[in-house]
Amino acid sequence: MRPDEWEAEGRPTEEPTPPAEAPPAVPPEPAAAEPDPPRDGDLPPSDAALRLAEALLFASDRPVPLNRLAAALGAEGEARAVMRALRERYAGRGVEVAEIAGGWAFRTAPDLAARLTRVIEVPKRLPRSAMEALAAIAWRQPVTRSEIEELRGATLSQNTLEALLEQGLIAPRGRKEAPGRPVLWGTTPRFLEQFGLRSLSELPRQEDLLTAEAPPLGSVAATGEGEGAEPGLPPDHGELAGEMERDGGA
């Protein structure tokens, strides 16, 4: 039977199936951007660089300046990163990495000092008179011998001066343009190393040491009592000498 005959008999005709619609086009995803290559300063120091810096510090009897480390490790920026990493590696150990006297060095942990002094012979300290002279030089440098004597209120003996020179704590710093052209004295890098200072700016400030009862700077304070008491530094300088003794006087 033909389709037209189906219609005549009332039968439904089969309608053709419409073609399926194509799915909407999906735009392609943009390609992921490649990450920027890391810069030299962003890279962690290599184990080889850390080992070399560690060996340099161990072999040197003086703090190693950054320029010497940079000469061995490469750029100065890399040397700084290596020393930061090395300091973090040794943090909390019995030996730590410290930045002192314009360089880097190994130092025993400060909290172990009391225990170490029980078993290790402590070098003989300088006498009080030498520590007072050293404090005056450190604070007022460059100074002449007569200026040191004026600050202390006492004569500076040749033995005291030679003791400071022998320890390498002071050195001549030229001559003053004054009658007789006296020698000017100043501290050395050894002084910074001895007292664990990175620079002279870390010395206690005068206003931090002065007390309300302290007489004006330049007045003489006795360091003893009764007959034969030795004149000493004004209170601020005397206090500095005391701090220097506590922090590792020779």
Side-chain angles (χ1 to χ4, degrees):
M1 183 178 292
R2 298 193 305 274
D4 55 349
E5 293 177 349
W6 292 351
E7 292 178 2
E9 292 183 4
R11 295 181 182 180
T13 60
E14 296 181 1
E15 296 181 358
T17 304
E21 295 182 1
V26 178
E29 295 184 1
E34 296 184 1
D36 296 333
R39 298 172 297 178
D40 291 342
D42 298 333
L43 295 174
S46 65
D47 287 340
L50 290 172
R51 291 181 65 236
L52 178 56
E54 189 177 33
L56 284 171
L57 265 60
F58 182 81
S60 178
D61 62 345
R62 290 287 184 272
V64 182
L66 195 64
N67 58 355
R68 282 185 58 194
L69 289 163
L73 298 171
E76 183 171 330
E78 181 183 352
R80 291 185 182 278
V82 169
M83 295 315 302
R84 284 196 298 267
L86 195 62
R87 181 164 56 183
E88 292 175 2
R89 173 178 291 189
Y90 276 86
R93 297 189 180 183
V95 175
E96 298 179 347
V97 177
E99 185 180 3
I100 56 174
W104 296 83
F106 282 122
R107 285 292 182 269
T108 54
D111 60 300
L112 299 179
R115 296 186 179 184
L116 290 176
T117 53
R118 299 175 188 171
V119 294
I120 297 178
E121 184 179 354
V122 179
K124 184 179 180 182
R125 290 179 178 271
L126 290 169
R128 177 72 181 185
S129 59
M131 294 300 296
E132 289 182 352
L134 183 58
I137 294 171
W139 213 340
R140 297 297 182 89
Q141 62 184 306
V143 291
T144 64
R145 183 170 180 169
S146 61
E147 289 170 340
I148 299 170
E149 293 175 340
E150 182 180 352
L151 286 168
R152 290 192 62 237
T155 301
L156 178 62
S157 70
Q158 187 63 28
N159 288 340
T160 299
L161 194 61
E162 289 177 355
L164 295 175
L165 284 167
E166 183 179 352
Q167 294 287 343
L169 300 173
I170 64 171
R173 290 288 180 263
R175 291 183 176 272
K176 187 173 184 178
E177 294 299 329
R181 303 193 69 235
V183 175
L184 291 167
W185 298 97
T187 56
T188 63
R190 170 66 179 162
F191 166 81
L192 298 175
E193 180 186 353
Q194 181 72 25
F195 296 98
L197 303 173
R198 285 180 293 183
S199 66
L200 292 173
S201 62
E202 292 187 347
L203 283 171
R205 296 181 302 173
Q206 180 176 339
E207 53 267 30
D208 293 337
L209 300 178
L210 285 172
T211 62
E213 295 79 18
L217 186 64
S219 63
V220 176
T223 59
E225 295 182 1
E227 187 177 355
E230 181 187 4
L233 288 172
D236 50 353
H237 291 72
E239 183 65 23
L240 176 58
E243 286 205 7
M244 289 166 61
E245 284 186 308
R246 292 190 294 272
D247 292 343

